[in-house]
Amino acid sequence: MFKNRSIIFNYFFSIFLLLVFIGTLHAETITLYSGRSKSLVDPIIQQFEKETGIEVKVNYANTTQLAAKLLTEGKKSPAALFWAQDAGALGAVSKEKLFENLPKSILNKVPKIFRHDDGYWIATSGRARVLAYSSERVKTEDLPESVFELTQSKWRDKVGWAPLNASFQAFVTAMREQVGEKRTEKWLRDMKDNGTKTYPKNTPIIEALDAGEIDLGLPNHYYLFRFKKGNSKFPVEQTFFKAKDAGNLVNVAGIGLLKNSDNKKTALKFIEFLLSPKAQQYFVSEVFEYPVTEGVIPNANLLPLEELLKIVPKFDLNEMDDLEGTIKLLRRAGIM
């Protein structure tokens, strides 16, 4: 009797294991190349996995490095999606025709300024370049009105930047388009000669302002808010340059679907999720970024988007596809 029970148990347990194995074979998975840092986006990726049952295999790295990786891998890349920190990297990949055209049902979720003209990528959130400064050592009336004033002698050894950061490189790409190659190169060289201090990324710039290493810095807008969240008296503030100045670039984080992907329908579900009210609210409330869709409760710390767009220089994010040219310029100027 007990022997029969044991046989029956083993039989059904074997069937159970077989079903589990078959289920894993058919489980939906997508490979994501993410230039967005894990600390920022892992919570929303986990939420997507929880709600859909789709596994996201993430390769985290610098946005510029991932763009270069995709260009090298070409059609052999295992990536289904590329989530970039800036429009410049997205432009470099779309320029090589590696992205699939996104369906209109997705593209129409955001304004035209937040998507590629040919539908190769779409923004997931917005960010602005700002001038961060020490509120203890710099008076507001003494702040420079233009990014080009940072080369003045009174700011010698007092400014910090992150030239290896993808957002900074996108900013330089935009400057090249706005004021030309020669003026941009001169600004880079003058900044270097003026003792501008180099940091690996944006967060150390904010920390250096607090530590007294520098008085001014050029980060994205949302980094400071993370420090303020933990300490409202953190001695750093930020502002914009005068209206239409090249230093006021508004950039985007965005995502594109790779042509080589063999599970495009599944990958599109992830893009749709990033544009959902839940994900957009996460970017606004937790990451302090700007939403790219309507119906999101605004963050009181952020300048309203309609006001922000009045002070940014006139520039088309679709023109930011010459990342290679920017890298060459930074090397020629001795910045990299």
Side-chain angles (χ1 to χ4, degrees), residues 234-266:
F234 191 75
V236 177
E237 300 295 337
Q238 61 189 23
T239 186
F240 293 100
F241 295 103
K242 63 183 179 182
K244 307 303 180 182
D245 187 76
N248 295 343
L249 175 69
V250 171
N251 205 340
V252 296
I255 195 165
L257 172 67
L258 278 303
K259 281 184 177 180
N260 60 276
S261 173
D262 57 3
N263 53 355
K264 293 184 175 64
K265 288 185 179 180
T266 303

Short mmCIF file of all heavy atoms in Angstrom, two decimals, residues 234-266:
data_model
loop_
_atom_site.label_atom_id
_atom_site.label_comp_id
_atom_site.label_asym_id
_atom_site.label_seq_id
_atom_site.Cartn_x
_atom_site.Cartn_y
_atom_site.Cartn_z
N PHE A 234 20.95 71.09 3.01
CA PHE A 234 22.17 70.81 2.23
C PHE A 234 22.60 72.09 1.52
O PHE A 234 21.81 72.72 0.79
CB PHE A 234 21.87 69.72 1.20
CG PHE A 234 23.09 69.16 0.52
CD1 PHE A 234 23.95 68.29 1.17
CD2 PHE A 234 23.37 69.51 -0.80
CE1 PHE A 234 25.07 67.78 0.55
CE2 PHE A 234 24.50 69.00 -1.43
CZ PHE A 234 25.35 68.13 -0.76
N PRO A 235 23.86 72.54 1.70
CA PRO A 235 24.29 73.88 1.26
C PRO A 235 24.63 74.03 -0.22
O PRO A 235 25.66 74.61 -0.58
CB PRO A 235 25.52 74.12 2.14
CG PRO A 235 26.12 72.76 2.29
CD PRO A 235 24.94 71.82 2.42
N VAL A 236 23.77 73.50 -1.05
CA VAL A 236 23.95 73.64 -2.50
C VAL A 236 22.61 74.01 -3.12
O VAL A 236 21.57 73.49 -2.71
CB VAL A 236 24.49 72.34 -3.14
CG1 VAL A 236 24.59 72.48 -4.66
CG2 VAL A 236 25.85 71.97 -2.54
N GLU A 237 22.63 74.92 -4.08
CA GLU A 237 21.43 75.30 -4.80
C GLU A 237 21.73 75.19 -6.29
O GLU A 237 22.87 74.93 -6.69
CB GLU A 237 20.99 76.73 -4.44
CG GLU A 237 20.66 76.94 -2.97
CD GLU A 237 19.45 76.14 -2.52
OE1 GLU A 237 18.61 75.79 -3.37
OE2 GLU A 237 19.35 75.88 -1.30
N GLN A 238 20.74 75.40 -7.12
CA GLN A 238 20.97 75.37 -8.56
C GLN A 238 20.04 76.34 -9.27
O GLN A 238 19.00 76.72 -8.74
CB GLN A 238 20.78 73.96 -9.11
CG GLN A 238 19.41 73.36 -8.93
CD GLN A 238 19.37 71.88 -9.30
OE1 GLN A 238 20.38 71.18 -9.29
NE2 GLN A 238 18.20 71.39 -9.65
N THR A 239 20.43 76.72 -10.47
CA THR A 239 19.66 77.67 -11.23
C THR A 239 19.90 77.43 -12.71
O THR A 239 20.70 76.57 -13.09
CB THR A 239 20.05 79.11 -10.85
OG1 THR A 239 19.19 80.04 -11.51
CG2 THR A 239 21.49 79.42 -11.27
N PHE A 240 19.21 78.20 -13.54
CA PHE A 240 19.44 78.15 -14.98
C PHE A 240 20.20 79.39 -15.39
O PHE A 240 20.24 80.40 -14.67
CB PHE A 240 18.11 78.09 -15.74
CG PHE A 240 17.34 76.81 -15.53
CD1 PHE A 240 16.28 76.76 -14.62
CD2 PHE A 240 17.69 75.66 -16.21
CE1 PHE A 240 15.59 75.58 -14.42
CE2 PHE A 240 17.00 74.47 -16.00
CZ PHE A 240 15.94 74.43 -15.11
N PHE A 241 20.83 79.32 -16.56
CA PHE A 241 21.45 80.51 -17.12
C PHE A 241 20.35 81.38 -17.73
O PHE A 241 19.16 81.05 -17.66
CB PHE A 241 22.48 80.10 -18.19
CG PHE A 241 23.65 79.33 -17.64
CD1 PHE A 241 23.75 77.95 -17.81
CD2 PHE A 241 24.66 79.98 -16.95
CE1 PHE A 241 24.82 77.23 -17.30
CE2 PHE A 241 25.75 79.27 -16.44
CZ PHE A 241 25.82 77.90 -16.61
N LYS A 242 20.72 82.48 -18.33
CA LYS A 242 19.72 83.36 -18.95
C LYS A 242 18.96 82.60 -20.04
O LYS A 242 19.45 81.59 -20.57
CB LYS A 242 20.39 84.59 -19.54
CG LYS A 242 21.36 84.29 -20.67
CD LYS A 242 22.06 85.55 -21.16
CE LYS A 242 23.07 85.22 -22.28
NZ LYS A 242 23.78 86.42 -22.75
N ALA A 243 17.77 83.06 -20.34
CA ALA A 243 16.91 82.39 -21.31
C ALA A 243 17.61 82.20 -22.65
O ALA A 243 18.32 83.09 -23.13
CB ALA A 243 15.63 83.19 -21.51
N LYS A 244 17.46 81.00 -23.19
CA LYS A 244 17.99 80.60 -24.51
C LYS A 244 19.50 80.36 -24.52
O LYS A 244 20.08 80.14 -25.59
CB LYS A 244 17.61 81.63 -25.59
CG LYS A 244 16.13 81.96 -25.67
CD LYS A 244 15.28 80.73 -25.90
CE LYS A 244 13.79 81.06 -25.97
NZ LYS A 244 12.95 79.86 -26.15
N ASP A 245 20.14 80.41 -23.36
CA ASP A 245 21.58 80.15 -23.31
C ASP A 245 21.86 78.68 -23.61
O ASP A 245 21.06 77.80 -23.27
CB ASP A 245 22.14 80.52 -21.94
CG ASP A 245 23.66 80.43 -21.89
OD1 ASP A 245 24.31 81.34 -22.43
OD2 ASP A 245 24.18 79.45 -21.32
N ALA A 246 23.00 78.41 -24.21
CA ALA A 246 23.36 77.04 -24.58
C ALA A 246 23.49 76.13 -23.36
O ALA A 246 23.42 74.90 -23.49
CB ALA A 246 24.67 77.04 -25.36
N GLY A 247 23.68 76.71 -22.19
CA GLY A 247 23.82 75.91 -20.98
C GLY A 247 22.52 75.34 -20.46
O GLY A 247 22.52 74.50 -19.55
N ASN A 248 21.39 75.76 -21.02
CA ASN A 248 20.07 75.35 -20.53
C ASN A 248 19.47 74.19 -21.33
O ASN A 248 18.25 74.13 -21.51
CB ASN A 248 19.09 76.52 -20.59
CG ASN A 248 19.45 77.65 -19.64
OD1 ASN A 248 20.24 77.46 -18.73
ND2 ASN A 248 18.89 78.82 -19.87
N LEU A 249 20.28 73.28 -21.78
CA LEU A 249 19.77 72.18 -22.59
C LEU A 249 18.77 71.31 -21.83
O LEU A 249 19.00 70.95 -20.68
CB LEU A 249 20.93 71.31 -23.06
CG LEU A 249 20.54 70.03 -23.83
CD1 LEU A 249 19.95 70.39 -25.19
CD2 LEU A 249 21.73 69.10 -23.99
N VAL A 250 17.65 70.99 -22.46
CA VAL A 250 16.72 69.99 -21.94
C VAL A 250 16.92 68.73 -22.75
O VAL A 250 16.73 68.72 -23.97
CB VAL A 250 15.26 70.46 -22.04
CG1 VAL A 250 14.32 69.31 -21.69
CG2 VAL A 250 15.01 71.61 -21.07
N ASN A 251 17.33 67.68 -22.09
CA ASN A 251 17.59 66.40 -22.75
C ASN A 251 16.58 65.38 -22.27
O ASN A 251 15.74 65.69 -21.41
CB ASN A 251 19.02 65.93 -22.44
CG ASN A 251 19.58 65.00 -23.49
OD1 ASN A 251 18.85 64.38 -24.26
ND2 ASN A 251 20.90 64.87 -23.52
N VAL A 252 16.64 64.20 -22.81
CA VAL A 252 15.70 63.15 -22.41
C VAL A 252 16.42 61.83 -22.20
O VAL A 252 17.48 61.58 -22.77
CB VAL A 252 14.59 62.94 -23.47
CG1 VAL A 252 13.74 64.17 -23.62
CG2 VAL A 252 15.19 62.49 -24.81
N ALA A 253 15.84 61.01 -21.35
CA ALA A 253 16.18 59.59 -21.35
C ALA A 253 15.17 58.97 -22.30
O ALA A 253 14.01 59.38 -22.35
CB ALA A 253 16.03 59.01 -19.94
N GLY A 254 15.61 58.01 -23.09
CA GLY A 254 14.69 57.43 -24.07
C GLY A 254 15.04 55.99 -24.39
O GLY A 254 16.09 55.48 -23.97
N ILE A 255 14.16 55.36 -25.13
CA ILE A 255 14.32 53.94 -25.41
C ILE A 255 14.01 53.61 -26.86
O ILE A 255 13.16 54.27 -27.48
CB ILE A 255 13.43 53.11 -24.46
CG1 ILE A 255 13.83 51.64 -24.46
CG2 ILE A 255 11.96 53.29 -24.79
CD1 ILE A 255 13.24 50.86 -23.28
N GLY A 256 14.72 52.63 -27.39
CA GLY A 256 14.51 52.19 -28.76
C GLY A 256 14.46 50.68 -28.83
O GLY A 256 15.07 49.98 -28.01
N LEU A 257 13.73 50.17 -29.81
CA LEU A 257 13.57 48.73 -30.03
C LEU A 257 14.53 48.29 -31.13
O LEU A 257 14.50 48.82 -32.25
CB LEU A 257 12.13 48.42 -30.44
CG LEU A 257 11.80 46.99 -30.89
CD1 LEU A 257 11.95 46.03 -29.71
CD2 LEU A 257 10.39 46.93 -31.46
N LEU A 258 15.40 47.32 -30.83
CA LEU A 258 16.38 46.85 -31.80
C LEU A 258 15.72 45.98 -32.87
O LEU A 258 14.87 45.13 -32.56
CB LEU A 258 17.49 46.06 -31.11
CG LEU A 258 18.65 46.82 -30.45
CD1 LEU A 258 19.35 47.73 -31.45
CD2 LEU A 258 18.16 47.64 -29.26
N LYS A 259 16.12 46.20 -34.12
CA LYS A 259 15.57 45.43 -35.24
C LYS A 259 15.82 43.94 -35.10
O LYS A 259 15.02 43.12 -35.54
CB LYS A 259 16.18 45.92 -36.56
CG LYS A 259 15.58 47.20 -37.10
CD LYS A 259 16.19 47.53 -38.45
CE LYS A 259 15.55 48.78 -39.04
NZ LYS A 259 16.14 49.13 -40.37
N ASN A 260 16.96 43.59 -34.51
CA ASN A 260 17.34 42.19 -34.44
C ASN A 260 16.54 41.40 -33.40
O ASN A 260 16.64 40.17 -33.32
CB ASN A 260 18.83 42.06 -34.09
CG ASN A 260 19.16 42.70 -32.75
OD1 ASN A 260 19.37 43.91 -32.71
ND2 ASN A 260 19.20 41.94 -31.68
N SER A 261 15.76 42.09 -32.59
CA SER A 261 15.02 41.41 -31.53
C SER A 261 14.05 40.38 -32.10
O SER A 261 13.34 40.65 -33.08
CB SER A 261 14.24 42.44 -30.70
OG SER A 261 13.39 41.79 -29.78
N ASP A 262 14.01 39.20 -31.47
CA ASP A 262 13.11 38.16 -31.95
C ASP A 262 11.84 38.08 -31.09
O ASP A 262 11.04 37.15 -31.23
CB ASP A 262 13.81 36.79 -31.97
CG ASP A 262 14.37 36.41 -30.60
OD1 ASP A 262 14.18 37.18 -29.63
OD2 ASP A 262 15.02 35.34 -30.51
N ASN A 263 11.69 39.02 -30.16
CA ASN A 263 10.48 39.06 -29.34
C ASN A 263 9.99 40.51 -29.21
O ASN A 263 9.83 41.04 -28.11
CB ASN A 263 10.71 38.43 -27.97
CG ASN A 263 11.92 39.04 -27.25
OD1 ASN A 263 12.65 39.86 -27.80
ND2 ASN A 263 12.12 38.65 -26.00
N LYS A 264 9.75 41.13 -30.34
CA LYS A 264 9.39 42.55 -30.39
C LYS A 264 8.10 42.87 -29.62
O LYS A 264 8.00 43.90 -28.96
CB LYS A 264 9.27 43.02 -31.84
CG LYS A 264 10.59 43.03 -32.61
CD LYS A 264 10.40 43.61 -34.00
CE LYS A 264 11.71 43.73 -34.75
NZ LYS A 264 12.35 42.43 -35.02
N LYS A 265 7.10 41.97 -29.71
CA LYS A 265 5.84 42.23 -29.03
C LYS A 265 6.05 42.33 -27.52
O LYS A 265 5.45 43.17 -26.86
CB LYS A 265 4.83 41.14 -29.37
CG LYS A 265 4.30 41.19 -30.80
CD LYS A 265 3.22 40.14 -31.01
CE LYS A 265 2.67 40.22 -32.43
NZ LYS A 265 1.60 39.20 -32.67
N THR A 266 6.88 41.46 -26.99
CA THR A 266 7.17 41.47 -25.56
C THR A 266 7.93 42.74 -25.19
O THR A 266 7.65 43.38 -24.17
CB THR A 266 7.98 40.23 -25.16
OG1 THR A 266 7.26 39.06 -25.53
CG2 THR A 266 8.24 40.21 -23.67
#
